[in-house]
């Protein structure tokens, strides 16, 4: 988790050297800490910075994120990728726009280095940007005015009298969130949808909230004394906060809508103008996010980095296991 590099220095570097991206997760140091929970590395050069981390869903692979800087134009990313020794799980580009990919490919051509053979865009099936990233106007969602929000208003009315909230700053909040996660995990096991990768994400999230509580905002949702969900977002940068968690009891009709509206109300009250709702893994989730009338939607991609093999024709390697004495 960015070992040997303090969060404060990392935060300062990201914000000092970066342009504000439409996909503001790239401007969020805490996002890299959470996604890089299995190991992450920061690269600096060409007037920019760039994070590479172990793929949280495939620890044998690496994820490389776009440059965060004004001047690099793909040069830092090209240098980093050419210098990597690709692990068995390969190297994938994460959260790259069309422009990012074009700049990287131009920078690779300019290097005249054949180490990277090609970049192949792939359909994302695991990470949460198979569908576009959506950004909400918090004040607009908080007010829920107009026919566009009629169905959301009706859903919220179903639960607003029976569900209360705690701010993340409340001393009881973290314990209630841990309990909500356990209840959620149990329901997922019963539905045969349990996801250990997501469970480790929440474990890491709770750990960093406990360590750096000032970096987060959010709400815990209770029905009576029973925790039924929570939301967590990061400290705003240039008016935008990124939603880092949105867990709710799917058995309570209207709760998911209510959580989004209440979280936007909390943000708007704190003068946070926009909430980056993130992307989606499924069409159903994408439709859920779109009904909150995003003011901006950003399409981002994944891509595989294909390398030319490195070998020396003067070196011969032979397996020494007794039943595998053939050269390869």
């Amino acid at each position: 988790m960015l070992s040997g590099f303090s969060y404060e220095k990392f935060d300062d570097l990201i914000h000092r050297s970066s342009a504000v991206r439409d996909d503001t997760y790239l401007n969020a140091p805490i996002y890299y800490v959470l996604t890089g929970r299995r190991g992450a590395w920061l690269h600096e050069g060409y007037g920019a910075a760039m994070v590479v981390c172990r793929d949280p869903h495939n620890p044998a692979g690496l994820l490389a994120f776009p440059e965060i800087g004004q001047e690099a134009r793909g040069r830092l990313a090209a240098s980093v990728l050419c210098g990597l020794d690709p692990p068995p799980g390969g190297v994938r580009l994460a959260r790259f726009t069309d422009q990012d990919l074009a700049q990287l490919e131009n920078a690779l051509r300019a290097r005249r280095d054949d180490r990277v053979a090609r970049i192949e865009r792939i359909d994302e099936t695991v990470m949460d940007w198979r569908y576009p990233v959506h950004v909400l106007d918090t004040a607009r969602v908080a007010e829920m005015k107009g026919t566009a929000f009629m169905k959301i208003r009706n859903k919220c009315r179903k639960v607003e009298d029976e569900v209360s909230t705690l701010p993340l700053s409340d001393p009881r909040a973290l314990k209630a969130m841990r309990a909500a996660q356990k209840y959620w995990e149990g329901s997922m096991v019963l539905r045969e949808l349990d996801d250990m990768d997501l469970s480790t994400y929440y474990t890491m999230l709770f750990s960093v909230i406990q360590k750096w509580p000032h970096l987060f905002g959010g709400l815990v949702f209770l029905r009576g004394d029973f925790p039924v969900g929570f939301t967590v977002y990061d400290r705003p940068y240039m008016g935008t906060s990124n939603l880092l968690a949105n867990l709710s009891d799917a058995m309570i009709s209207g709760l998911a809508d209510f959580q989004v509206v209440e979280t936007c109300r909390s943000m708007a009250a704190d003068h946070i103008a926009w909430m980056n709702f993130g992307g989606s893994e499924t069409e159903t989730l994408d439709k859920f996010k779109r009904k909150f009338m995003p003011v901006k939607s950003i399409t981002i991609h994944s891509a595989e980095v294909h390398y030319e093999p490195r070998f020396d024709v003067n070196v011969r390697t032979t397996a020494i296991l007794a039943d595998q004495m053939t050269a390869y």
Side-chain angles (χ1 to χ4, degrees):
M1 191 180 77
L2 299 168
S3 177
F5 198 86
S6 76
Y7 180 86
E8 289 76 13
K9 289 181 179 179
F10 183 44
D11 180 84
D12 179 67
L13 174 68
I14 296 298
H15 290 162
R16 176 166 39 84
S17 66
S18 67
V20 180
R21 304 289 298 249
D22 286 340
D23 176 20
T24 53
Y25 283 90
L26 296 176
N27 289 108
I30 203 67
Y31 172 77
Y32 296 112
V33 172
L34 292 168
T35 307
R37 57 192 177 273
R38 297 182 184 272
W41 299 268
L42 177 70
H43 302 271
E44 300 174 70
Y46 299 97
M50 173 184 178
V51 173
V52 177
C53 72
R54 294 195 193 281
D55 187 333
H57 300 283
N58 173 26
L62 295 175
L63 291 182
F65 291 94
E67 298 164 345
I68 35 181
Q70 300 275 11
E71 304 297 335
R73 297 185 299 278
R75 292 177 297 169
L76 174 60
S79 178
V80 168
L81 292 175
C82 287
L84 287 177
D85 186 13
V91 178
R92 296 176 63 198
L93 305 182
R95 306 190 81 98
F96 272 62
T97 63
D98 289 333
Q99 182 180 5
D100 293 327
L101 288 170
Q103 286 184 337
L104 172 58
E105 289 171 341
N106 288 337
L108 287 168
R109 282 192 291 269
R111 284 180 63 87
R112 298 183 179 180
D113 185 335
D114 61 0
R115 178 69 179 121
V116 174
R118 60 192 172 92
I119 304 293
E120 179 187 10
R121 189 182 299 182
I122 59 174
D123 293 330
E124 183 54 61
T125 59
V126 178
M127 303 298 283
D128 62 355
W129 54 84
R130 182 177 184 181
Y131 292 88
V133 169
H134 298 301
V135 179
L136 306 185
D137 180 326
T138 60
R140 184 181 187 185
V141 177
E143 291 174 352
M144 289 194 295
K145 290 183 178 178
T147 56
F149 286 92
M150 182 174 63
K151 290 182 179 179
I152 296 173
R153 289 196 300 270
N154 291 337
K155 283 181 173 289
C156 288
R157 289 191 188 104
K158 293 179 180 179
V159 294
E160 60 188 5
D161 291 333
E162 57 177 310
V163 175
S164 60
T165 63
L166 287 177
L168 192 60
S169 57
D170 190 289
R172 299 166 290 173
L174 198 54
K175 184 184 292 185
M177 290 164 65
R178 288 195 173 105
Q181 182 210 356
K182 294 300 182 185
Y183 297 135
W184 171 83
E185 285 181 352
S187 69
M188 295 294 278
V189 169
L190 288 173
R191 295 156 61 195
E192 299 183 350
L193 296 172
D194 49 313
D195 185 339
M196 286 306 296
D197 288 322
L198 196 53
S199 295
T200 60
Y201 175 86
Y202 286 128
T203 299
M204 181 67 173
L205 177 62
F206 298 153
S207 175
V208 293
I209 290 173
Q210 192 164 21
K211 185 174 183 179
W212 300 312
H214 61 289
L215 300 179
F216 301 92
L219 297 171
V220 181
F221 297 83
L222 305 163
R223 186 159 67 171
D225 294 327
F226 192 85
V228 292
F230 58 83
T231 58
V232 179
Y233 51 88
D234 64 356
R235 183 174 56 187
Y237 176 59
M238 303 297 287
T240 302
S241 282
N242 303 287
L243 193 66
L244 300 170
N246 183 22
L247 181 149
S248 65
D249 187 337
M251 301 303 291
I252 303 176
S253 177
L255 178 61
D257 298 75
F258 183 69
Q259 288 191 183
V260 175
V261 171
E262 288 299 303
T263 300
C264 283
R265 284 174 175 164
S266 177
M267 287 182 173
D270 287 336
H271 307 290
I272 301 171
W274 300 285
M275 180 181 83
N276 190 331
F277 210 170
S280 305
E281 305 94 327
T282 66
E283 184 179 4
T284 299
L285 184 55
D286 182 60
K287 287 181 178 178
F288 172 79
K289 293 184 176 184
R290 285 183 184 275
K291 72 182 184 180
F292 291 92
M293 306 298 292
V295 294
K296 185 186 298 183
S297 297
I298 309 108
T299 299
I300 54 178
H301 309 287
S302 295
E304 288 185 354
V305 183
H306 294 272
Y307 286 86
E308 293 290 350
R310 275 182 178 163
F311 60 88
D312 187 333
V313 295
N314 300 304
V315 176
R316 180 174 182 269
T317 305
T318 304
I320 60 173
L321 294 178
D323 58 346
Q324 298 180 11
M325 292 300 290
T326 56
Y328 66 92

